[in-house]
Amino acid sequence: MFDLAQYAFQFENSAEYQKRFHYLAKQSINYGSFEGDDLASQVMLTPFDVNFFQKTHKMGGVGFVSSDPSFRGGGRIDAIMKELLKDCYEQGILFSYLAPFSYPFYRRYGYELLFERSRYRISHQDWPRVTSPKGKVLRKDWQEAKASIAKIYAATMAQEEGFLLRETWWYEYKYQMKPGNYFALYYDEEAQAQGYLVYQMKAGVFTIVEWVYLTEAAYRGLHKYIASHADSVQEFFYERSANGQTPFFLNERPISQLSSRPDMMVKIVDIEAFLKVYPFESLQNSFAIEIEEDSYSPWNTGIFEIHVQSNREVVIQKVVETSLPLMKTSIQRFTQLFLGYKSLEELVFYRFLVLEPELENAISAIFPKKRPILEDYF
């Protein structure tokens, strides 16, 4: 598996990379298609938990999708993905995330773009200056830092959507097993850790891997700590999930080198199960949704009625036909709408979904107002 993935993605072929790959594979469900004794194609599915609607849901992270060029063209990845999605459906895995090499390729399986990332490149001379708080920042090794990092991450993500609920093994894989990571913690005047910084320094670039803070003082303390490296590097690089916020909005001068890039795609594996956990509290009127086609997850294709009962309870039912006001869309646009990446108005404007005007007014309040975020990669 490692040899095929390394050939396909051309990552470093070292003992450290092999160790991380084997560690992840042991945590995962691994699918392969063989030509005799040769592994021709493979997909790794790693079980995670994610947060949506203030609830924990099962998610299957898809990675290392790769094929030996000697055996391409036989539909092997199609066959694997069909089996994988069926397994997810039968095991109650509600979502699947993946980092695509091609967005059009994965749309065929029902995945769609849901996460974006913002990139900041700042010259060492232009890193913004801030005043120092009363607390202090201390550099720690992983064993000293890990408990505080896990606690602070969980606290900052409590009100967000889409993020991973990181397990201990994932922290080890993400941070301890990855070469080159440094860790710094901000402690307040009561010696309580209130923020952390994971970073790397290589070839004159200070890369902020993760910068998380619970208080304004922790923000300033870590900001000042980063600035203290200005004489040691030529550039600061920071990439974070794009959610409309920036750690640099207080700067006197706007950051000039800011760009964004598309990131991971998401598939809702089971539409009916998803609708049964969706927060419909503000829904006043019953309506129906038609998913036009999801050929690799045929159980998603069809009409789903959302009935508001007299006691305000919502009942979901899959039907052959409906007399309720109908929204018609694709699995991809359904995902973007119900998970907060796109607004109802935008999708209607571009004709990505079709519905009656009175229905648009009746249901506009039920959709998320915050974009989902994700700070992990697999």
Side-chain angles (χ1 to χ4, degrees):
M1 287 178 63
F2 177 82
D3 290 344
L4 180 55
Q6 194 278 329
Y7 182 86
F9 297 103
Q10 293 296 297
F11 50 74
E12 184 180 332
N13 188 0
S14 66
E16 289 177 329
Y17 268 75
Q18 288 189 42
K19 183 179 179 181
R20 290 185 82 232
F21 184 91
H22 292 166
Y23 183 81
L24 184 61
K26 288 179 180 179
Q27 301 289 338
S28 304
I29 303 162
N30 304 294
Y31 293 78
S33 177
F34 289 82
E35 183 73 21
D37 292 332
D38 296 320
L39 180 61
S41 298
Q42 68 179 359
V43 178
M44 185 183 291
L45 180 72
T46 308
F48 294 101
D49 287 330
V50 297
N51 181 83
F52 275 107
F53 326 128
Q54 303 303 301
K55 295 179 181 178
T56 300
H57 305 283
K58 292 181 180 181
M59 186 274 285
V62 172
F64 296 105
V65 180
S66 41
S67 293
D68 189 313
S70 302
F71 307 112
R72 283 181 183 163
R76 296 175 184 275
I77 295 298
D78 277 6
I80 290 175
M81 290 301 296
K82 189 172 184 178
E83 182 177 348
L84 179 152
L85 290 169
K86 184 173 182 290
D87 289 347
C88 287
Y89 173 67
E90 292 175 348
Q91 295 167 23
I93 297 174
L94 192 55
F95 301 100
S96 180
Y97 292 9
L98 60 78
F101 71 88
S102 165
Y103 290 89
F105 179 82
Y106 285 106
R107 285 192 181 105
R108 65 204 281 184
Y109 305 120
Y111 290 83
E112 188 49 80
L113 174 65
L114 198 76
F115 301 105
E116 294 182 7
R117 296 188 71 75
S118 296
R119 285 178 165 178
Y120 302 87
R121 291 191 181 276
I122 305 171
S123 165
H124 71 117
Q125 298 174 330
D126 295 331
W127 182 263
R129 300 296 187 258
V130 297
T131 57
S132 300
K134 293 183 178 179
K136 59 185 178 181
V137 176
L138 298 176
R139 189 157 65 88
K140 300 287 185 177
D141 65 27
W142 171 244
Q143 295 303 321
E144 295 172 313
K146 63 181 181 180
S148 293
I149 286 176
K151 183 178 180 180
I152 294 166
Y153 171 83
T156 57
M157 289 292 172
Q159 301 303 315
E160 301 295 344
E161 302 283 349
F163 62 90
L164 259 61
L165 282 77
R166 296 174 178 168
E167 297 183 35
T168 300
W169 76 265
W170 180 249
Y171 274 111
E172 297 294 325
Y173 173 82
K174 182 179 177 71
Y175 292 132
Q176 194 272 334
M177 297 181 71
K178 190 168 185 179
N181 281 334
Y182 294 101
F183 309 94
L185 294 172
Y186 170 83
Y187 295 90
D188 63 17
E189 294 175 275
E190 284 73 45
Q192 298 298 308
Q194 300 288 354
Y196 68 86
L197 180 71
V198 183
Y199 63 100
Q200 296 196 357
M201 292 189 293
K202 186 176 181 180
V205 178
F206 187 107
T207 299
I208 301 169
V209 177
E210 196 159 88
W211 179 13
V212 180
Y213 38 84
L214 295 174
T215 64
E216 185 270 345
Y219 161 76
R220 283 193 291 123
L222 293 168
H223 198 299
K224 189 78 172 180
Y225 179 81
I226 298 168
S228 70
H229 295 79
D231 292 336
S232 304
V233 298
Q234 295 298 310
E235 181 183 69
F236 296 98
F237 176 75
Y238 181 30
E239 184 174 286
R240 57 175 286 170
S241 192
N243 62 350
Q245 300 179 13
T246 172
F248 304 112
F249 78 102
L250 294 177
N251 296 358
E252 293 183 4
R253 292 177 295 174
I255 301 298
S256 59
Q257 293 192 55
L258 168 62
S259 61
S260 62
R261 69 170 180 86
D263 195 33
M264 284 202 176
M265 305 178 84
V266 173
K267 178 181 173 69
I268 298 174
V269 175
D270 185 346
I271 291 292
E272 187 171 5
F274 172 83
L275 291 171
K276 288 179 179 178
V277 299
Y278 190 81
F280 283 112
E281 288 85 355
S282 60
L283 183 63
Q284 301 293 322
N285 304 101
S286 301
F287 75 106
I289 299 169
E290 181 176 354
I291 303 299
E292 296 172 315
E293 183 182 10
D294 190 358
S295 57
Y296 284 84
S297 304
W299 51 86
N300 285 337
T301 304
I303 300 171
F304 301 87
E305 291 185 336
I306 298 94
H307 290 276
V308 181
Q309 308 290 83
S310 58
N311 61 358
R312 304 301 305 153
E313 181 182 355
V314 173
V315 175
I316 309 299
Q317 185 178 10
K318 189 173 185 181
V319 297
V320 176
E321 57 184 20
T322 184
S323 59
L324 293 176
L326 182 65
M327 170 197 294
K328 185 180 294 187
T329 190
S330 66
I331 179 66
Q332 291 87 358
R333 301 308 175 185
F334 176 95
T335 299
Q336 290 183 323
L337 175 63
F338 276 80
L339 296 183
Y341 180 73
K342 292 293 183 183
S343 69
L344 178 66
E345 295 76 14
E346 185 176 3
L347 293 176
V348 169
F349 180 83
Y350 288 107
R351 300 185 181 182
F352 286 125
L353 57 82
V354 178
L355 72 169
E356 300 168 10
E358 59 268 24
L359 181 57
E360 181 177 347
N361 296 330
I363 65 174
S364 59
I366 70 173
F367 302 110
K369 300 299 185 288
K370 291 179 65 174
R371 275 194 175 191
I373 66 171
L374 180 67
E375 297 295 352
D376 294 280
Y377 182 89
F378 37 83

